[in-house]
Amino acid sequence: MSKKEKLTTGEILLDIIDYSAVLFRDPAGLAWARINGECHPVRSTTFRRHIQRKFYHLEGKAPHTQAVQEAIEQAEGKALFEGRFTKKVHVRNAFQDGKIFIDLGDEDKTIAEVTKGGYNNLTTEATYFHRPSGLEALPIPEQGEIEDLKRFLNYESEGDFKLLIAWMLAALNPDIACPILILQGEQGSAKSTTSKIIRALTDPNTAPIRTAPRDERELIIQGENARVICLDNLSGVKSWLSDALCRICTGGGFSARKLYTDSEEKIFQIRRPIILNGIDDIATRGDLLDRAIVLSLPAIPQDKRKDESTFWNEFEQAKPGIFGALLVGLCHGLKYQDEIKLNRLPRMADFARWVQAATKAYDWNDVVSLYFNNRNNAVETGLDSDILASAIRKIVANTSEYRNTATHLIEKIKEVSPETNERYLPTTRTLKSRLTRLSPALRQIGITWDRVHTENGNEYFIKKSPLKASEASEDSETYKNNGLDTEGTLKEYEATFSKASGQKQALTPVNGNTEGTEATEAIEQQLFNKEMARLEGYPVEDETPF
C-alpha cells in the first residue's frame, strides 16, 4: 500500500469500532457499545481503553488523543442516529418474557436463566448487561439447601431468618420493589458481616458495604453502578437521605443538571434493593419504616466467634449450593405468584405476593404474616422515637378524643413533654404537615385526626378508637388460607380516591371566590383520613365532627 492509500489513525479507529462493537442506544438516549456480550457506554473509559488497546495491537503504538476523541464522537453519532435498535441495559438482573436473567459476572459471561420450570446457565444475546467497575462474580449455582445459610448469618429467631431469605428472593427479582433491609444491633453483633453475606449472594462487589453518601447525586451514582445499595455503620438517617432511599426503594426519578451545561437536565430512573445497618434505631421516619424490614441482631458470644479466614473459606465452599437454593425459590415464585391472593395488601404488595409464592420452595407458609408483624413493630418503634407521636399518644391516653386550636394543641404537647427542647416541637405552621406524615402510623394504633374549620378558626380533632394495636396486626391464618382477591382491594382504593375527587370537585370555590378555602382543605383532609381508615379496616363513625 502506498503512503497515499494508507489509512489515517481516525479511519483505523473507526474500522476497529465497526469490527469489534455493536452500537445501539437505550431508551434514555444514551449511546452504548456491545463488545463480546458486554455493554459499555460509548463515552466510558472502558470503551476508550478498548479501541486504544486494539489500535496498539495493530499499529504498535498508541493513537493520539484527538483521533480517539473524534472516533468516540463518530461512534456516538452512529449509535444515536444510525443505530439499528434501542435496548434497555441492565445491571446484574433483568426480567424479560416472564423469566429472570442473572448476570453471574464471570469471565465466560455466564447468565443464569430462571423460569417456572427451573434454571439454566447460558450465554445469551437476548439480554443486554452492563458490568460496572467493582462488580464481582456470583457462583455457578449447584443443588443445595437454604438451611445451609443459617451458620453464616446472625439472627435472633427463625422468623428473622425467613425474612432475610424473603428479602434476598425479592432482591434477585428486578420486576418487583424490594423493602429496605435494616440491620440493627450492638457492637459485635456481626451487622457488617451479615450485610456482606447477603450481598455476596445477591450482588457481590469489591466494596460490598459503603459509607453514607454526602448528597443525593452520590447516592444515585452508587445505584447506577450496582444492583444492591448497602450503607454501613449509619448513625441515623438524615431527612433528605430518608426521602431519597424511599424513592429508590419503590422506583423513582431523579434529575440533575448536566455537567458543562446551563439548563440541560439529566434524568435518572432507578429502583434498587437497599441494605442499611447501624447500632441505634437508624430509621425513625414513618415513610421509611413503612417500606422496611427491621431486624435486631443479637450479640455473638465469645465462644461462638470464628477467625475471618476460616469463616469466609467455609462460606465460599457453601455458596454455590446456597445460591442454587435461592434460584429454586425464584422458580417457585414465577410459578405460583399469580395464584397468591392476600386478605390485605401492604404498601409493598408485590413483595408480599412474591415471597409468599417463592418460599413455597422451602415449605414455609408464614412469611407474609412475619412481614406484617415486623412492619407493625417497626412502625411502633418509629412512633416511640417521634416526639410529636409520643405526645399525641399521651394526650389521648386517658380520653377518647381531644379537640382544640393549633396553639392550644402545641401548648398541650409542651405540657405532656416537659423534657423536650422546644426547637424539636412543631409550630402552628408545621403542625399539619408533621401530623400528615404520621397519619399512617397513627392509624395503625387506632388514632386518627382531622383539621376542622370553626367560627374560632381551625381546630384539630384527635380521636382514639377502641381498636387495640394487636388487632391492627395481621392474622397469620389469613395468609395461610389466602382469603381475599387482590383485584377487589385495588378496586376499593380506586373507589376511595374517586369519592375523594368527587367531594373535592363539589367543594371547589366558584368564580374565583376563595372564601371558605380553609374549610374546604379541612373537609378534604377529614374525608381522606376517614376513607383511608375505613379501607384499612378501622372502625370509623359516619358523623362529621363539626
Side-chain angles (χ1 to χ4, degrees):
M1 181 182 291
S2 65
K3 289 187 178 180
K4 289 185 178 180
E5 295 174 337
K6 187 175 181 180
L7 296 176
T8 64
T9 298
E11 289 172 332
I12 295 173
L13 290 170
L14 290 176
D15 283 346
I16 289 171
I17 293 171
D18 290 339
Y19 176 76
S20 63
V22 176
L23 300 174
F24 67 99
R25 62 184 176 273
D26 68 11
L30 183 66
W32 289 83
R34 194 178 199 204
I35 303 168
N36 298 326
E38 189 176 335
C39 301
H40 307 281
V42 167
R43 288 194 172 271
S44 67
T45 301
T46 304
F47 181 71
R48 176 185 290 270
R49 292 287 183 265
H50 167 75
I51 61 176
Q52 288 175 325
R53 182 174 61 255
K54 289 286 187 181
F55 184 93
Y56 187 86
H57 289 161
L58 284 173
E59 300 294 318
K61 62 180 182 179
H64 56 83
T65 303
Q66 183 64 30
V68 173
Q69 185 60 37
E70 289 176 357
I72 289 174
E73 290 175 358
Q74 287 285 344
E76 185 177 41
K78 285 187 176 183
L80 297 178
F81 311 124
E82 297 180 13
R84 294 172 294 171
F85 48 81
T86 299
K87 289 285 187 180
K88 184 176 181 180
V89 180
H90 307 274
V91 176
R92 184 68 79 177
N93 301 64
F95 186 89
Q96 290 181 194
D97 303 323
K99 304 174 183 178
I100 297 173
F101 296 90
I102 303 174
D103 179 11
L104 299 187
D106 59 1
E107 294 182 358
D108 296 329
K109 308 293 192 298
T110 307
I111 295 172
E113 179 190 48
V114 184
T115 68
K116 296 178 181 180
Y119 63 86
N120 299 292
N121 299 326
L122 49 86
T123 302
T124 178
E125 296 293 318
T127 306
Y128 283 56
F129 281 108
H130 169 52
R131 293 182 172 182
S133 60
L135 184 143
E136 288 194 337
L138 283 162
I140 300 296
E142 298 176 359
Q143 186 175 357
E145 298 293 333
I146 202 67
E147 300 291 322
D148 292 342
L149 182 56
K150 285 185 173 181
R151 58 195 173 105
F152 301 108
L153 294 178
N154 184 34
Y155 54 90
E156 197 165 54
S157 65
E158 182 69 15
D160 287 358
F161 174 74
K162 290 179 179 180
L163 287 174
L164 287 171
I165 299 302
W167 187 91
M168 285 188 273
L169 291 170
L172 289 168
N173 180 5
D175 193 45
I176 65 169
C178 181
I180 298 170
L181 179 61
I182 300 177
L183 304 176
Q184 300 175 167
E186 63 181 78
Q187 294 177 357
S189 57
K191 299 180 297 296
S192 297
T193 300
T194 300
S195 299
K196 291 177 182 178
I197 290 289
I198 294 170
R199 186 155 190 193
L201 291 166
T202 53
D203 181 37
N205 193 280
T206 54
I209 54 178
R210 313 283 179 90
T211 58
R214 290 170 295 182
D215 52 40
E216 195 173 83
R217 187 181 184 90
E218 191 173 301
L219 178 65
I220 296 167
I221 292 172
Q222 283 192 33
E224 287 275 294
N225 288 280
R227 167 64 185 163
V228 175
I229 296 173
C230 186
L231 304 182
D232 183 51
N233 199 24
L234 299 180
S235 297
V237 177
K238 295 181 180 178
S239 296
W240 71 265
L241 180 56
S242 178
D243 291 340
L245 292 173
C246 287
R247 278 182 284 160
I248 292 176
C249 165
T250 52
F254 297 82
S255 64
R257 183 178 64 84
K258 278 189 176 181
L259 295 177
Y260 312 114
T261 65
D262 292 325
S263 59
E264 285 191 66
E265 188 178 47
K266 180 171 176 60
I267 304 296
F268 301 89
Q269 185 69 29
I270 186 172
R271 183 172 71 187
R272 292 287 186 266
I274 299 167
I275 304 172
L276 311 177
N277 75 59
I279 292 177
D280 52 3
D281 292 330
I282 55 179
T284 57
R285 291 166 69 97
D287 49 356
L288 179 61
L289 290 171
D290 204 30
R291 295 173 171 88
I293 293 174
V294 182
L295 301 178
S296 295
L297 308 187
I300 301 175
Q302 289 289 339
D303 60 340
K304 299 292 184 182
R305 295 182 179 274
K306 291 183 179 180
D307 63 89
E308 283 209 38
S309 60
T310 300
F311 177 86
W312 287 109
N313 285 337
E314 290 178 358
F315 175 68
E316 288 299 321
Q317 293 175 13
K319 189 161 63 169
I322 297 170
F323 184 59
L326 287 171
L327 296 193
V328 172
L330 298 185
C331 297
H332 279 71
L334 294 172
K335 185 175 181 179
Y336 296 111
Q337 65 175 335
D338 292 336
E339 301 176 10
I340 298 298
K341 298 177 182 179
L342 302 180
N343 185 44
R344 290 185 190 174
L345 291 177
R347 185 170 210 158
M348 310 294 287
D350 289 341
F351 167 79
R353 293 177 62 244
W354 169 255
V355 298
Q356 186 76 356
T359 53
K360 285 179 176 287
Y362 319 122
D363 294 324
W364 300 342
N365 57 13
D366 58 349
V367 173
V368 172
S369 62
L370 290 168
Y371 170 58
F372 267 93
N373 289 335
N374 182 275
R375 179 172 168 267
N376 291 339
N377 291 335
V379 170
E380 278 278 2
T381 301
L383 289 173
D384 290 340
S385 60
D386 187 279
I387 294 170
L388 177 57
S390 297
I392 294 297
R393 297 176 81 170
K394 291 178 183 177
I395 290 172
V396 296
N398 299 316
T399 181
S400 61
E401 60 184 51
Y402 174 88
R403 179 170 176 170
N404 219 320
T405 63
T407 301
H408 284 88
L409 177 55
I410 290 172
E411 289 301 318
K412 186 68 174 178
I413 292 170
K414 292 178 182 178
E415 179 185 325
V416 299
S417 307
E419 71 287 350
T420 303
N421 191 312
E422 287 194 15
R423 65 176 180 169
Y424 298 117
L425 297 176
T427 63
T428 54
R429 184 176 62 85
T430 63
L431 179 61
K432 179 176 179 290
S433 62
R434 288 184 62 173
L435 281 172
T436 300
R437 184 179 287 274
L438 287 170
S439 290
L442 290 173
R443 275 200 304 272
Q444 184 169 306
I445 60 171
I447 298 176
T448 58
W449 69 275
D450 294 305
R451 193 175 69 158
V452 182
H453 185 70
T454 68
E455 293 180 355
N456 298 323
N458 290 325
E459 290 187 353
Y460 284 83
F461 183 80
I462 302 171
K463 186 172 182 179
K464 182 179 68 172
S465 74
L467 179 70
K468 296 178 181 178
S470 60
E471 295 171 352
S473 64
E474 300 301 320
D475 180 7
S476 61
E477 291 300 319
T478 298
Y479 296 98
K480 293 177 183 177
N481 298 324
N482 293 322
L484 183 68
D485 189 350
T486 298
E487 183 179 355
T489 306
L490 292 176
K491 286 181 179 178
E492 287 187 59
Y493 270 102
E494 292 174 2
T496 296
F497 286 103
S498 176
K499 181 176 179 180
S501 178
Q503 294 284 357
K504 183 176 180 179
Q505 184 176 1
L507 295 168
T508 302
V510 182
N511 298 328
N513 182 10
T514 59
E515 185 178 356
T517 301
E518 289 187 355
T520 299
E521 292 178 355
I523 294 171
E524 288 175 3
Q525 177 67 52
Q526 183 183 36
L527 288 170
F528 178 80
N529 286 346
K530 281 180 174 288
E531 291 302 326
M532 292 305 293
R534 182 180 289 110
L535 180 59
E536 294 181 13
Y538 300 114
V540 178
E541 296 179 0
D542 291 332
E543 304 91 89
T544 308
F546 56 85

